[in-house]
Each structure stands twice: as structure tokens, then as C-alpha cells.
Amino acid sequence: MITSRRIERRVIDLYRQGIITGGCYTGIGNEATSVATAFPLAEHDVLVPTHRDMGSHVVRGHTPVQIMQQYLKRATGQTRGKDSSLHMGREGSNIVGMISHLAHMAPVAVGVALAERQLGRNSCVLTTVGDGATSLGDFHEALNFAAVQKLPVLFVIVNNQYAYSTPVSLQYACDKLSDRAAGYGMPGETVDGTDAVEVYDAARRAYTRGRRGEGPTLIESVTMRARGHSEHDDFKYVPSDLLEAWWRWDPIERFERYLEEHHVMTAEERRSVGEDVDHEIERAIDIARADPMPTPESGADGVYRYWEPRWTVPSGEDWELEP
Amino acid sequence: MSEATYIAAIREALVEEMERDARVFCIGEDIGHFGGAFKATEGLLEKFGRGRVVDTPIAEGLILGVAIGAAVRGLRPVAEMQFADFVACGFSQLAYNASTFHYRLGVSVPMVVRLPSGGHVGGGPFHSKNPEAWFTHTPGLKVVAPATPRDAKGLLLSAIRDPDPVIYLEQKYLYRREKDELEGVEAIPFGRASIAREGQHATVVTYANTVSMALAAAETLAARGYEIEVIDLRTLVPWDWETVVRSVDKTGRVLVVHEATRTSGFGGEIAATIADLAFDRLDAPVRRVAALDTPTPAEKQMESYVLPDADKIEAALTDLLLY
Ligand SMILES: Cc1ncc(C[n+]2csc(CCOP(=O)(O)OP(=O)(O)O)c2C)c(N)n1
Ligand SMILES: [Mg+2]
């Protein structure tokens, strides 16, 4: 959780300095959900994350160096400058890289689960959507079919109160988003998304069900988007008292208190871990900044896995019929 | 030896590939016991079981998204849209998700989308679409459009083996019209046009439904002493520009024909390429025969008025020959 938080704090700094450009979405406030839902996954399970899931990327092994290379659009980044931010997940990583179109990864996650079953691997799949993304048809289509097929998918709705500027009151009219689960014939529960332990327990129950062949689960994890939609957004539309009140529920502070109360980690140990993390992130930034930018021409590479040179239609400047 | 229709050729290719490669599976609406709206998958459920002939709810975005998810995990889905028209409901899964995976992340998406396309069947505005230009305008997708039972089989074999997403446009009008001997049909490489008829006075460049119409027009003109070359492109991305240009070099006159509507149709691309690569070999302007720029009307005579046919092709060729 602190790796996620601190990477994103630095991402914001670099964005403000103009070193990171483009959309700058963070999962600040969402760390407990993102980390604790991914934590119980087994190595062979598959993550289909979305745009505020820095936590689950970190849990699943993406390193600060890889993340910075990607955010800085370096030639060494996973998408080699062709895409940016958390759109990561190369072949063999058990992470399927997202596109921006909301809710579009939900059917893909179901397809992954179908394939895993067909391939004889008893893998669970974790995917997330925001409160806003639940309004798209793809979300409905995916939940319905996952339930029909009894596929081991955990759908996590990260209800962070806003979809860009749209508050949840304008997004849906049901009481809790987890109520929708009943309509699909799957269990649903709403958890406190700032409490890592509660989220973890709920996720583990979902994976246990999934592995037993009992099908998908819907978890609504209630949290707060602690920053603007993207860093360009001053989020003046969020009432300041709401935000202030929320910070008392900072998932990281809550988990630190938990560690303290249960004598898992002392303040001293936590500080030392924090220093190591900071150090690693600074090193990652240095490495990524020193890495080469992609060449402009590489923007035309890799559209297809298989393409023959003769298939490219030439321009008359480069090709001539024999006289 | 027995002869097979276009739809039987599709079925034969599906069965052969499913027998050859356990990763291949079919997914779509009503494709199981019912065998699909046009019976392309008849008997497949009984032969391969529910794991490999997956019936879905009515949800095109789901079907395409699930196919993507399965493909990125190493399966080889063949998704059926009940009619090409309904692919619009899941368009963004193809236009943004499937088409960009390899570009973004180097991840191969070996999936096929079968689209029962085209008019001349009284289908009206919602069951007659020739949607190829939507897809030829989307880098990352390959597009094929067979005109004969042999090509229907050979191109489907290649499409299933291809490591990229392939849009397979199949023609409802051709499903049961003509039969070919399928013995010995192998996978047909993409990007190789077939010269359906040789000639030296003018070239028709076409594909899919209008190939047989162009051949009929050529037959009529042959009686009047004109030898028309008819090129069946067979695949549109990639397309065999070189065969086209060499034919134009020989004949000096070219008519581009497709059943899809004219404006921004693929024919414009062919015409522009000819203008670029063979401008000085042309003895006449490049002409086009295509559907009028309207939705497809339901009533039979109105439909005939709007869509190309052999008579319209013959009239355009006559003009072109006299130019
Ligand atoms: C189909 C689609 N429409 C619009 C957008 C633009 N957009 C990006 S994020 C976003 C808000 C998403 O809200 P929510 O699902 O609650 O996720 P959050 O950002 O709050 O985590 C919007 C409207 C998009 N990416 N995709
Ligand atoms: Mg939200």
C-alpha cells in the first residue's frame, strides 16, 4: 500500500513538473481495495485491472522501475511509448492490459476465466470497475454471463463516490451496488474499502467459492477518490467537508493502526520500510529518466503479430511499374 | 466426391480446425443445439461438446470481449455474430480492444469474427450490412471476404490459424447458391487475389457478392467481343495491390465494384492506389459501381434499385470500354 501511495505521490510531482504528460489518474484512497483484492491471488490467477489499480500492479510484481519506464513513455516501458499510465500487462505476466473504454475489460476478464477453465487451470480472475463504469452495458453483459457459466471471476466495484464530476446520486438509484448481484444470481457484498483486512477477507471468500466451482462474486468496495479525476482536475465539485472527513479514513493510516494494535510492526519498522520504498522509487525514477525515448518511427511498428512487407501498399514515390 | 455450398464449406473448415487444434472453439448466439441462425455450426455441439461450442446470451460486446480474453490466454476463438449488422453493438471491443492489443503490449489476439453480411436477400436496413469499411479503417484488424465455397473454406482455415484478429465477412446471398468441390482445399494465404477471369480490355476489381455478378457481366460482354479481367481480391487487409496494378497495366481500364455503399467504401482506397501507382497506364478514369448511399431497403425491387448487380456492372463496363 505504501509503495502504491508513494509511487503515485511522485507521479503527481513529475506530472506537475511536466515530466509525466497526458492523463494522470491515481488510486490514492483506493490502496486498501486494490492491494487487498489482489493479495490472495495465486501465482497462476489472472488480474484484469483498471485505471486506479496501482496497488494490484505492485502486488502482482510490476516494479517501480517498470512503472516509471511506462509512465515516462520510455522505449523500455511496457508499451514503448505507444500507450501510457497503468495500461500495462505483457504476455506471460498474468496481467491483461486495459484499454480506456470503461467496463470493456469486464467481458475480457470473463473470457480469460473461460479460457483458464478450458485449459484445465483452476484459475481465478480479478477485475475492477468504478461506480461509473457499472452503468455501461458491457458490465451487465459480463456479470450475467459469468454467472450463467459459473466462472471464478471476482468483480470489484470500486465505489469512490465520483465518476469524473458525476456523484453517485446521478449514477445509479439502487441502495447499494452490491444489490445488483442478486439480479445476476451471484453473491454480492459491500465492504469498507478503506479497511484492508475487511477487503482481504471478502476477496478470499470469493476466490474460495470460485475455486470450488461456485461461480463469480460481486464486491462493492466503498472508498473515496481522494484526488481529482486526473491531476488536471481541481475537483472543486467535491464538497470540501466530504473530502476532509474522508481523510480520517485514509486506508494506509487505518492499516498502520491495525499493525500497531496487533503488534505486527512498530512505528520504527514502518519508517524503515517507508525509507526503503522511497529509496527504491527514487532509484526507479533515475533509471527511467536515463532510459532512451522510443524512436518516432517505432510508432508505426507492431500493429500486427504477422505482417508481410509486400502487404504494405507503397506510395508512387517509392514504387514504379516497369516501363 | 461431393460438392459443397459456401455455408457447408464454412462448417467444414470449422470442424477441421477444431479437430486439428484443441484450442479452437466457437462462441455465439444460438450456435449450439440450434446450429446457428444459418446452420454454420450445425452438429458441432454434438461433436465437440459445450466447452467448445459456447452458447451465449444476446450480448455482442460480451461475445467479442470474451473472445478477446480467451485469445490472449492462448485459445483460438471463432465468434459468430448472428448478422453482421449486430457487430455494431460490440464495435468498440474490436475497434479498440482487439485491434490494439498487439500494438500496445505485444500480445497476440488470435481470434476470428464471422459476420454474415450483405444484401440481395430482402433483409432490409438491419440485416443487410456490408460493414467491411468499418474494419478496413481500423489498423490492427485483418479483413477477408470470400466469394466462393473453396475460398470460404481456405480463408477460414487461414483466419483461424492467423495470430491476429480476423474479420471474416461471409455472404448470406452466397450461402446456398453455388457448390464447389472442396477436396484438397488448403489454407489460402492472405493478400493473394484470384484472377476469376482473364481478359485484356478492362479490369474489374471486386470481392464477395459482386464477384459472380462481375463474371456474369464479363460473360455477356465476351459475346460482344470484349475480354474482361475479373479480379477477386479475397482479402481486403491485406489486399493484393500488385495484382491489381499489373492488371491495369495490361488493360488500361478499371472498374471497381463492391456491394457496400459507395462513399468511403473500400473501392475508394483501391481507386486511389491505382491512381497513385498506375496513373500513366490508364486510358480511362477509374470508375466505381457500388450501392447507393442509403440504408438497404426491405422491399425487393427497391433493394435491387439500390444495390449493384450484373446489369449495372455491364452498363458501367460498356461506358468504360467506349471512353
Ligand atoms: C466508454 C467511456 N466513456 C467515457 C470515458 C471517459 N472517462 C474516463 S474515466 C471516467 C469516469 C469513470 O468513473 P468510475 O467508473 O467511477 O471510475 P473512477 O475514475 O471513479 O475510478 C470517464 C467518464 C471512458 N474512458 N470510457
Ligand atoms: Mg468512481
Side-chain angles (χ1 to χ4, degrees):
Chain A
M1 276 167 43
I2 59 165
T3 305
S4 173
R5 172 71 57 91
R6 293 185 186 199
I7 288 176
E8 295 197 320
R9 286 279 181 215
R10 290 296 282 132
V11 163
I12 294 171
D13 295 339
L14 295 169
Y15 175 83
R16 292 205 177 125
Q17 293 165 35
I19 294 166
I20 286 174
T21 54
C24 187
Y25 316 98
T26 71
I28 293 176
N30 183 36
E31 292 90 347
T33 301
S34 191
V35 167
T37 50
F39 216 80
L41 290 172
E43 190 64 34
H44 59 95
D45 290 335
V46 186
L47 173 69
V48 186
T50 54
H51 59 294
R52 301 197 196 276
D53 285 328
M54 179 67 83
S56 47
H57 279 276
V58 171
V59 169
R60 296 294 287 176
H62 278 149
T63 63
V65 172
Q66 288 175 306
I67 291 163
M68 287 301 169
Q69 287 167 330
Q70 169 72 3
Y71 273 73
L72 289 163
K73 303 191 184 80
R74 289 314 201 255
T76 46
Q78 282 202 350
T79 62
R80 293 153 170 66
K82 291 166 172 173
D83 199 354
S84 59
S85 63
L86 278 182
H87 296 203
M88 299 170 74
R90 285 194 86 83
E91 216 146 38
S93 68
N94 287 346
I95 299 176
V96 179
M98 62 172 287
I99 63 168
S100 293
H101 292 56
L102 294 167
H104 275 54
M105 299 313 288
V108 174
V110 178
V112 168
L114 194 77
E116 293 297 303
R117 181 164 74 189
Q118 186 73 16
L119 293 164
R121 303 193 281 247
N122 191 18
S123 312
C124 289
V125 180
L126 164 63
T127 193
T128 50
V129 290
D131 43 284
T134 62
S135 301
L136 278 102
D138 284 62
F139 172 76
H140 159 78
E141 294 180 14
L143 267 76
N144 180 49
F145 187 58
V148 168
Q149 288 279 335
K150 283 205 176 311
L151 290 165
V153 184
L154 170 54
F155 298 94
V156 176
I157 301 171
V158 181
N159 189 342
N160 60 7
Q161 314 309 314
Y162 284 88
Y164 207 151
S165 75
T166 305
V168 288
S169 58
L170 295 177
Q171 195 70 246
Y172 57 87
C174 52
D175 187 17
K176 291 180 294 180
L177 282 170
S178 60
D179 292 346
R180 294 196 177 162
Y184 296 113
M186 68 174 80
E189 68 179 301
T190 295
V191 298
D192 178 346
T194 67
D195 182 343
V197 178
E198 189 180 332
V199 175
Y200 176 84
D201 286 340
R204 239 189 21 182
R205 283 194 294 277
Y207 298 136
T208 304
R209 289 189 63 247
R211 276 189 230 291
R212 283 202 209 115
E214 292 169 22
T217 303
L218 179 64
I219 293 176
E220 176 192 26
S221 189
V222 180
T223 175
M224 177 74 197
R225 196 188 71 202
R227 302 206 46 90
H229 169 63
S230 165
E231 282 306 310
H232 71 271
D233 172 16
D234 63 15
F235 55 119
K236 287 213 176 91
Y237 49 81
V238 179
S240 55
D241 48 334
L242 179 62
L243 257 182
E244 266 161 43
W246 183 81
W247 274 107
R248 275 182 267 127
W249 297 91
D250 178 357
I252 292 186
E253 282 174 20
R254 287 195 72 180
F255 195 59
E256 284 178 342
R257 280 201 297 277
Y258 174 91
L259 295 176
E260 188 89 43
E261 281 160 20
H262 290 76
H263 309 291
V264 184
M265 237 181 168
T266 64
E268 186 47 44
E269 285 167 328
R270 291 202 312 273
R271 187 161 28 239
S272 150
V273 169
E275 277 167 16
D276 290 349
V277 167
D278 284 340
H279 184 75
E280 200 188 336
I281 294 169
E282 293 317 309
R283 200 183 120 258
I285 294 171
D286 290 343
I287 290 172
R289 290 191 70 177
D291 277 348
M293 293 304 287
T295 61
E297 306 83 60
S298 68
D301 287 349
V303 178
Y304 297 92
R305 169 65 63 109
Y306 182 77
W307 187 262
E308 297 181 14
R310 70 180 178 89
W311 288 350
T312 301
V313 183
S315 142
E317 288 159 24
D318 308 323
W319 190 90
E320 244 181 283
L321 271 167
E322 311 70 54
Chain B
M1 287 202 191
S2 68
E3 299 209 312
T5 58
Y6 188 100
I7 191 82
I10 289 172
R11 189 181 315 116
E12 200 170 301
L14 289 173
V15 170
E16 273 180 30
E17 284 306 282
M18 289 175 80
E19 280 171 345
R20 194 185 62 82
D21 183 348
R23 298 170 302 174
V24 179
F25 74 102
C26 295
I27 182 165
E29 297 157 11
D30 305 299
I31 66 167
H33 280 299
F34 191 62
F38 297 101
K39 306 293 170 202
T41 55
E42 193 162 51
L44 266 60
L45 177 71
E46 293 71 16
K47 210 172 172 73
F48 298 104
R50 288 204 316 158
R52 296 182 66 199
V53 182
V54 181
D55 267 318
T56 69
I58 305 163
E60 286 71 21
L62 172 91
I63 294 168
L64 299 168
V66 165
I68 293 167
V72 301
R73 298 305 289 175
L75 295 188
R76 296 195 163 243
V78 181
E80 174 177 308
M81 296 285 104
Q82 206 152 69
F83 284 82
D85 308 67
F86 305 133
V87 75
C89 303
F91 186 60
S92 51
Q93 288 288 3
L94 293 173
Y96 287 95
N97 218 346
S99 63
T100 64
F101 248 105
H102 193 264
Y103 183 71
R104 293 180 274 140
L105 290 161
V107 173
S108 173
V109 188
M111 65 187 274
V112 178
V113 185
R114 292 182 33 240
L115 297 181
S117 306
H120 287 295
V121 289
F126 312 114
H127 298 80
S128 304
K129 184 72 180 174
N130 285 291
E132 64 268 28
W134 292 349
F135 301 110
T136 58
H137 203 62
T138 303
L141 304 177
K142 290 174 180 166
V143 182
V144 308
T148 66
R150 290 180 71 84
D151 288 353
K153 179 170 179 193
L155 287 172
L156 187 51
L157 295 176
S158 301
I160 294 172
R161 294 173 198 175
D162 198 90
D164 293 307
V166 179
I167 307 298
Y168 180 92
L169 301 159
E170 50 191 62
Q171 298 297 332
K172 304 190 294 289
Y173 171 73
L174 299 175
Y175 274 160
R176 293 179 173 83
R177 273 185 88 76
E178 279 168 26
K179 291 184 173 183
D180 274 349
E181 178 52 58
L182 295 184
E183 187 73 27
V185 174
E186 307 269 345
I188 295 169
F190 291 174
R192 293 245 157 86
S194 92
I195 299 189
R197 183 186 177 107
E198 282 192 62
Q200 66 279 354
H201 296 127
T203 303
V204 176
V205 183
T206 188
Y207 52 90
N209 272 355
T210 41
V211 171
S212 61
M213 299 171 196
L215 287 171
E219 192 63 38
T220 314
L221 285 165
R224 287 165 34 201
Y226 293 111
E227 288 308 327
I228 308 297
E229 182 140 299
V230 178
I231 297 179
D232 173 3
L233 287 179
R234 306 201 286 190
T235 73
L236 305 183
V237 178
W239 69 283
D240 191 354
W241 56 275
E242 196 166 353
T243 293
V244 170
V245 169
R246 295 209 179 279
S247 176
V248 174
D249 184 29
K250 178 169 72 174
T251 64
R253 290 167 205 274
V254 56
L255 181 71
V256 180
V257 180
H258 55 57
E259 193 186 278
T261 51
R262 179 185 177 105
T263 301
S264 302
F266 192 69
E269 188 58 39
I270 299 168
T273 301
I274 294 167
D276 188 13
L277 300 180
F279 180 71
D280 59 356
R281 311 300 160 95
L282 287 170
D283 298 320
V286 180
R287 290 268 159 85
R288 281 183 287 167
V289 171
L292 303 184
D293 287 323
T294 71
T296 311
E299 196 278 322
K300 208 113 190 78
Q301 296 202 31
M302 291 164 76
E303 184 188 32
S304 300
Y305 176 75
V306 160
L307 297 183
D309 58 24
D311 291 344
K312 290 173 194 170
I313 297 169
E314 188 198 324
L317 277 170
T318 305
D319 265 4
L320 192 67
L321 290 162
L322 298 177
Y323 182 87

